[in-house]
Amino acid sequence: MKLEKIYKYIDSNYQNFIKELVRLVNQPSVSAKHEGIQECAKMVEQMLKTIGFSTIFIQEKKGNPVVYGELKAKEPRKTLLFYNHYDVQPIEPFEEWICDPFSGEIRDGRIYGRGVSDNKGNIISRLKAVQAFLETTGEVPVNIKFVIEGEEEIGSPNLQPIVKKYKDLFSADAAIWEFGGTDRHGRPIIYLGLKGVLSVELEAKGASRDVHSANAPLIPNPAWRLVWTLNTLKNEKDEILIEGFYDDVETPLTEEIKCLKDIPFEEEEEKKELALKEFLHKASGLDALKALLYKPTCTINGFMSGYTGTGSKTVLPNKATAKLDFRLVPRQRPEKIFRKLVKHLKSRGFGDIHVFEHGSTEPVKTPITDKFVQTVVKTAEKIYNKKAVVYPTSAGSGPMHLFRNWLGYPIVSVGCAHAESRGHAPNENIMIDGFVQGTKFIAAVIQDFASS
Amino acid sequence: MKLEKIYKYIDSNYQNFIKELVRLVNQPSVSAKHEGIQECAKMVEQMLKTIGFSTIFIQEKKGNPVVYGELKAKEPRKTLLFYNHYDVQPIEPFEEWICDPFSGEIRDGRIYGRGVSDNKGNIISRLKAVQAFLETTGEVPVNIKFVIEGEEEIGSPNLQPIVKKYKDLFSADAAIWEFGGTDRHGRPIIYLGLKGVLSVELEAKGASRDVHSANAPLIPNPAWRLVWTLNTLKNEKDEILIEGFYDDVETPLTEEIKCLKDIPFEEEEEKKELALKEFLHKASGLDALKALLYKPTCTINGFMSGYTGTGSKTVLPNKATAKLDFRLVPRQRPEKIFRKLVKHLKSRGFGDIHVFEHGSTEPVKTPITDKFVQTVVKTAEKIYNKKAVVYPTSAGSGPMHLFRNWLGYPIVSVGCAHAESRGHAPNENIMIDGFVQGTKFIAAVIQDFASS
């Protein structure tokens, strides 16, 4: 009964919720470019306060602020923590957007804008689910905590000491992670784990300045040097050639593989949307899914050297850089992989290449058999009236290990995105319907967790 | 006696010459970016007209205008042609300039600006040498022709049909090519040939849009594909791996090697200026010089893919491009090399890589034994009062073959740059002294050619 009232409140007020979401999207917060971070953190803190949360604005010497919010149930209760992030990815390539990336423009039932799916839509959806309890019942059935950080998109390099320092604040009985949504058939997706990630930058240097390319017989070319360096890292079969890279890789558990078989992997739709004839190495079906979730990777995110404008320029550049990320699976450790990378470069004769680390997180997961997982699955199937799609782990990354491995509670990731939300890409969007249903889902999770 | 008066005229008027040079530098004319081309061509034509040349503004359907100017001697005489170009290289990297690249700023006896050395300084120097004859003697001792094109910096892709069409206009008894200057000891440098060049762009394509890098196990990454492609083109020993690339390479003639031995190659100064401990593969002395002049090359001028801003971005790009130039030596043919490149890519499994040609020129030279060469060498040694440095060929490129191979006259390249003129790089400059002396040199070449 309580939930019926709450759903009604959400249905009557969702247009105001969307206005708040658009306001949040209007505020740029690109962590990679130090753009709008303080302003966005303050806006998020104010939103928590307005609903009734007591907040802490955690600003350490290093790193972007972490906004913490807490709302106690009237009686002693269990605690549910929400992990979110207010920072967003850069907007590039800007020219491919159909609207201003920070506009929050609404078209055909969708809200467009950088961060609307990852992760601002979920921030608002969760805050509004809590607000719905307060507005209709005057209380929350469990203690609610929010941790909203500002460096997720750059690998959360400064969250670790904060979790250590504020360990008690971050304690809980269970947590909902930042992302999730529905598949192409409206089935709710539930994620139970993350890959780790190690982000690095390689830099090759040549002469003290660019020179005319006529000098090529004598002057070292860092662009070539970087090509040869990168070529030693991965071959055309996608085998990562760093010695010992695969040493600690764990084979998926039988129960996980079983779970994979139930996942309706929509590969044709995916390929069609991306205009691909086939996936890499013709992977298909269960093999493709297994690769996506369990294969560690080494990806060039970008590279740059010399002249890249229109036409030609007979120049020999003096610098070349490449950004890479390694996605890691249980039990690979980012710090170990970094050391192996550095050793590899030296041993292959590329000790002159500078290697910078841009951040890392560890791989992590919560068992399918966990009670909280089972509660969320049941709630999802009730709300969406469809079988839930359970991913025993996911292809994405984040600092989940700080909560799951350190603080020990189960963590499940659900949210209000959809199959074409285009996270990290131009024209990121969510559907208004998905946002409303996702908000009801979170309210139901809070209630069902309270009674479980 | 005539030359004394001319030198005096140059000494009295050089500050006005520099004003004209600055005006020409102020007018951007970046052919690679279609920037200011028409304006610059018209300015150059006006400058020719003001001195007394009859001009033709050659504007074909395709390509930038070629400015032609002709000034007849009073009596039937030999004809000397000057080849120049009003277009310049792009200014990038902009942040490394100490002044506005189009300012023509004067500091410590140098004029700074894009194109001031390559090739606007020489345009003005040559025009003013001719003007000096007219102003002091009322005539020129030989017929003078100017061909000033606007696509040299992008490989002169449209000059060939123009030379064909206006063959008679471009006929002459000898020609002075666009570039040259003095070495670190003030010795005049004389170039007798050019390498050929073939400029291409390679493009790898992936999905229809950028995706989150979590998808790396399934989605092809064009950045990796381009790395692997480039890696098949050249190895770390600088050996170009395209089948048959070296097939037509001609061994330098004995008289050329002899000439090389006389070239005071200032390798320590060069290395110091570029902050290099050593040249590529520790080349030194005659070996380094031989490599510079006679080794064909494959240079990455630039490459670009994905995210290249500050920090990191977990993105998997959908496009990667690289710009390359091949420098060719006698008897390599650019069209043949292009075909071999395309064939190579197909045979190595990279038939999906798109290859665009941005332009090409053939290798070319005039024999050291030619009479006109001997005249210019003698004149140079008289003017600079130092032994001339004769390069039987040079590391640079240009469309010289259209004139030398097609129209058949000897061509020598001299000019008013200096050893640190930084052509194609930030802070391109010439010395005012070098400009004045270079102008006198051209006047003397005109006179000595007339009497030879």
Side-chain angles (χ1 to χ4, degrees):
Chain A
M1 283 312 95
K2 196 190 274 178
L3 278 171
E4 288 311 315
K5 273 204 284 181
I6 285 168
Y7 297 159
K8 209 172 154 192
Y9 176 84
I10 292 168
D11 281 330
S12 311
N13 290 281
Y14 79 88
Q15 282 179 323
N16 288 330
F17 302 170
I18 287 168
K19 273 184 202 156
E20 286 219 47
L21 173 54
V22 170
R23 194 161 70 89
L24 192 55
V25 170
N26 289 164
Q27 173 57 57
S29 51
V30 184
S31 45
K33 298 189 171 183
H34 313 286
E35 193 186 341
I37 292 300
Q38 288 293 332
E39 295 84 341
C40 194
K42 278 171 193 157
M43 185 181 283
V44 166
E45 188 191 25
Q46 194 49 53
M47 285 174 169
L48 280 162
K49 276 186 173 160
T50 303
I51 289 168
F53 280 82
S54 59
T55 64
I56 304 177
F57 195 84
I58 304 171
Q59 175 67 74
E60 302 294 291
K61 272 186 194 155
K62 221 178 132 191
N64 297 340
V66 172
V67 179
Y68 174 81
E70 195 176 319
L71 187 67
K72 281 209 154 43
K74 281 191 182 161
E75 292 164 37
R77 298 281 193 173
K78 288 189 284 195
T79 300
L80 184 62
L81 181 143
F82 291 98
Y83 165 84
N84 288 84
H85 60 91
Y86 60 82
D87 68 319
V88 301
Q89 281 282 322
I91 57 166
E92 287 79 10
F94 176 71
E95 64 280 6
E96 292 181 19
W97 284 83
I98 57 168
C99 64
D100 176 346
F102 296 114
S103 66
E105 199 171 308
I106 295 171
R107 292 190 187 200
D108 303 327
R110 296 184 183 194
I111 315 163
Y112 286 85
R114 172 54 84 231
V116 72
S117 144
D118 182 11
N119 180 241
K120 291 174 173 177
N122 286 330
I123 293 177
I124 298 296
S125 163
R126 291 158 186 200
L127 286 178
K128 294 303 163 185
V130 172
Q131 180 180 314
F133 273 98
L134 296 173
E135 295 289 324
T136 54
T137 71
E139 61 177 328
V140 278
V142 290
N143 304 315
I144 302 285
K145 291 180 174 180
F146 270 87
V147 177
I148 310 181
E149 70 143 316
E151 297 185 335
E152 197 272 345
E153 298 295 5
I154 52 169
S156 306
N158 300 298
L159 190 60
Q160 179 171 323
I162 292 175
V163 175
K164 224 171 207 165
K165 187 169 169 187
Y166 299 92
K167 209 178 148 179
D168 292 342
L169 288 185
F170 293 3
S171 71
D173 295 293
I176 298 289
W177 204 248
E178 48 128 351
F179 67 90
T182 51
D183 70 5
R184 280 188 177 72
H185 305 287
R187 291 174 284 216
I189 306 174
I190 295 170
Y191 297 96
L192 304 181
L194 292 173
K195 280 187 182 171
V197 71
L198 168 65
S199 293
V200 299
E201 184 156 342
L202 304 184
E203 185 183 270
K205 285 192 163 182
S208 58
R209 59 170 174 90
D210 290 354
V211 298
H212 193 297
S213 69
N215 296 296
L218 298 182
I219 310 299
N221 186 334
W224 273 118
R225 191 116 188 101
L226 193 62
V227 163
W228 296 323
T229 305
L230 291 169
N231 189 65
T232 69
L233 294 182
K234 196 166 91 156
N235 65 19
E236 285 177 61
K237 292 178 199 158
D238 255 342
E239 292 161 348
I240 297 162
L241 306 171
I242 298 167
E243 201 189 317
F245 180 82
Y246 295 101
D247 278 359
D248 302 322
V249 170
E250 186 187 77
T251 321
L253 301 174
T254 318
E255 70 212 56
E256 291 178 24
I257 293 293
K258 191 169 162 262
C259 197
L260 290 197
K261 285 176 186 161
D262 289 337
I263 293 176
F265 180 48
E266 295 150 333
E267 61 182 278
E268 290 313 318
E269 288 88 337
E270 185 80 10
K271 282 187 256 184
K272 200 178 153 196
E273 201 225 323
L274 295 172
L276 292 172
K277 275 184 202 157
E278 54 198 18
F279 285 142
L280 222 46
H281 311 298
K282 304 187 181 178
S284 181
L286 190 62
D287 284 343
L289 192 59
K290 248 171 141 172
L292 187 63
L293 301 184
Y294 292 99
K295 193 178 173 181
T297 58
C298 172
T299 300
I300 297 173
N301 308 123
F303 54 52
M304 166 76 181
S305 182
Y307 183 71
T308 60
T310 53
S312 66
K313 184 178 178 186
T314 48
V315 73
L316 195 162
N318 77 334
K319 205 176 103 174
T321 58
K323 292 173 198 284
L324 289 93
D325 73 45
F326 294 89
R327 299 271 165 179
L328 308 176
V329 300
R331 314 187 167 266
Q332 289 182 303
R333 292 278 162 185
E335 64 279 8
K336 226 168 148 181
I337 298 295
F338 186 82
R339 284 199 302 272
K340 285 176 180 177
L341 169 64
V342 171
K343 200 178 155 194
H344 166 91
L345 294 177
K346 272 189 192 144
S347 76
R348 295 292 293 263
F350 292 100
D352 57 308
I353 303 294
H354 301 254
V355 193
F356 309 93
E357 195 195 310
H358 278 308
S360 71
T361 62
E362 292 174 15
V364 57
K365 66 188 174 192
T366 294
I368 303 164
T369 49
D370 183 275
K371 190 185 161 194
F372 178 63
V373 172
Q374 293 306 317
T375 300
V376 175
V377 169
K378 262 184 230 153
T379 306
E381 294 184 340
K382 185 177 69 184
I383 292 285
Y384 290 90
N385 200 23
K386 280 180 177 150
K387 193 165 180 351
V389 178
V390 180
Y391 283 75
T393 186
S394 71
S397 301
M400 192 192 271
H401 66 286
L402 300 179
F403 301 81
R404 167 82 193 125
N405 300 355
W406 292 23
L407 303 174
Y409 40 78
I411 305 180
V412 166
S413 202
V414 295
C416 58
H418 63 107
E420 287 173 19
S421 273
R422 296 171 172 260
H424 292 211
N427 304 319
E428 181 176 348
N429 70 90
I430 58 171
M431 289 180 181
I432 291 177
D433 287 353
F435 172 76
V436 172
Q437 202 164 20
T439 305
K440 291 175 182 171
F441 178 27
I442 292 297
V445 165
I446 292 171
Q447 184 57 49
D448 294 349
F449 175 58
S451 1
S452 71
Chain B
M1 283 311 96
K2 198 189 274 177
L3 278 172
E4 289 310 314
K5 274 203 287 182
I6 286 168
Y7 297 159
K8 208 172 156 191
Y9 176 84
I10 293 169
D11 281 329
S12 312
N13 290 280
Y14 78 89
Q15 283 179 323
N16 288 329
F17 301 170
I18 288 169
K19 273 182 201 156
E20 286 218 47
L21 172 54
V22 170
R23 193 159 71 89
L24 192 55
V25 170
N26 290 164
Q27 172 58 56
S29 51
V30 185
S31 45
K33 299 188 170 183
H34 312 286
E35 194 187 341
I37 292 300
Q38 289 293 331
E39 294 85 340
C40 194
K42 278 172 194 157
M43 184 181 282
V44 166
E45 189 192 23
Q46 193 51 53
M47 285 174 169
L48 279 162
K49 276 185 175 162
T50 304
I51 290 168
F53 280 82
S54 59
T55 64
I56 304 176
F57 194 85
I58 304 171
Q59 175 68 75
E60 302 293 290
K61 271 186 195 156
K62 220 177 132 193
N64 297 340
V66 172
V67 179
Y68 173 81
E70 194 176 318
L71 187 68
K72 283 209 154 42
K74 281 191 181 162
E75 291 164 37
R77 296 280 194 176
K78 288 191 282 192
T79 300
L80 183 62
L81 182 144
F82 291 98
Y83 165 85
N84 288 85
H85 60 92
Y86 60 83
D87 67 321
V88 300
Q89 282 281 322
I91 57 167
E92 287 78 10
F94 176 72
E95 65 280 8
E96 292 180 20
W97 284 81
I98 57 167
C99 64
D100 176 345
F102 296 113
S103 66
E105 199 172 306
I106 295 170
R107 292 190 187 200
D108 304 326
R110 294 183 185 197
I111 315 163
Y112 286 86
R114 172 54 84 231
V116 73
S117 143
D118 182 10
N119 178 241
K120 291 175 172 176
N122 285 330
I123 293 177
I124 299 296
S125 163
R126 290 158 186 199
L127 286 177
K128 293 304 165 186
V130 172
Q131 180 181 315
F133 273 98
L134 296 173
E135 294 289 325
T136 54
T137 72
E139 61 177 325
V140 278
V142 292
N143 303 316
I144 302 285
K145 291 180 174 181
F146 269 87
V147 176
I148 310 181
E149 69 142 318
E151 298 185 336
E152 197 272 346
E153 297 296 5
I154 53 170
S156 306
N158 300 297
L159 190 59
Q160 179 171 324
I162 292 176
V163 175
K164 222 171 210 167
K165 188 170 168 187
Y166 298 92
K167 209 178 149 181
D168 293 341
L169 288 185
F170 292 3
S171 70
D173 296 294
I176 297 290
W177 204 248
E178 48 128 353
F179 67 91
T182 51
D183 70 6
R184 282 188 176 72
H185 305 286
R187 290 174 286 215
I189 305 175
I190 296 170
Y191 297 98
L192 304 181
L194 292 173
K195 279 187 181 170
V197 70
L198 168 65
S199 294
V200 299
E201 183 157 344
L202 304 185
E203 185 184 89
K205 285 193 162 183
S208 58
R209 60 170 173 89
D210 290 355
V211 298
H212 193 296
S213 68
N215 296 297
L218 298 181
I219 309 299
N221 186 333
W224 273 118
R225 191 114 190 102
L226 194 62
V227 163
W228 296 323
T229 305
L230 291 169
N231 189 65
T232 70
L233 295 182
K234 196 166 91 157
N235 66 18
E236 285 178 60
K237 291 179 201 158
D238 254 343
E239 291 161 347
I240 296 163
L241 306 172
I242 297 167
E243 202 189 315
F245 181 82
Y246 296 101
D247 278 358
D248 302 322
V249 170
E250 187 188 76
T251 322
L253 302 174
T254 318
E255 68 212 55
E256 291 178 23
I257 293 294
K258 192 170 161 260
C259 198
L260 290 197
K261 286 176 185 161
D262 289 336
I263 293 176
F265 180 46
E266 296 150 331
E267 61 183 279
E268 290 313 318
E269 289 89 336
E270 185 81 8
K271 282 187 256 185
K272 200 179 153 196
E273 201 225 322
L274 295 172
L276 292 172
K277 275 186 203 156
E278 53 198 20
F279 285 143
L280 220 47
H281 311 298
K282 303 188 182 178
S284 181
L286 190 62
D287 284 344
L289 192 59
K290 247 170 141 174
L292 186 62
L293 301 184
Y294 292 98
K295 194 177 170 181
T297 58
C298 172
T299 300
I300 297 173
N301 308 122
F303 55 52
M304 166 76 181
S305 182
Y307 183 71
T308 60
T310 54
S312 66
K313 185 178 177 186
T314 49
V315 72
L316 195 162
N318 78 335
K319 205 177 102 173
T321 58
K323 291 173 199 284
L324 289 93
D325 73 46
F326 294 89
R327 299 271 165 178
L328 308 176
V329 301
R331 316 190 166 264
Q332 290 181 303
R333 292 280 161 181
E335 64 279 8
K336 226 168 149 181
I337 297 296
F338 185 82
R339 284 199 301 271
K340 285 176 181 177
L341 168 64
V342 171
K343 199 179 156 193
H344 166 90
L345 293 176
K346 273 189 193 144
S347 76
R348 295 292 293 261
F350 293 100
D352 57 309
I353 303 295
H354 299 254
V355 193
F356 309 94
E357 193 195 311
H358 279 307
S360 71
T361 62
E362 292 174 15
V364 57
K365 67 187 172 192
T366 293
I368 304 164
T369 49
D370 183 275
K371 190 186 162 194
F372 179 62
V373 172
Q374 293 307 317
T375 300
V376 176
V377 169
K378 262 183 231 155
T379 306
E381 294 183 342
K382 185 177 67 183
I383 292 286
Y384 291 89
N385 201 23
K386 278 178 179 152
K387 194 165 180 349
V389 179
V390 180
Y391 283 75
T393 187
S394 71
S397 301
M400 192 191 271
H401 67 287
L402 301 179
F403 300 81
R404 166 85 192 120
N405 300 356
W406 292 22
L407 302 175
Y409 40 78
I411 305 180
V412 166
S413 202
V414 295
C416 57
H418 63 107
E420 287 173 21
S421 273
R422 297 171 172 257
H424 292 213
N427 304 319
E428 181 176 348
N429 70 90
I430 59 171
M431 289 180 181
I432 291 177
D433 286 354
F435 172 76
V436 172
Q437 202 164 21
T439 305
K440 290 176 183 170
F441 178 28
I442 293 296
V445 165
I446 292 171
Q447 183 58 48
D448 294 349
F449 175 57
S451 0
S452 70

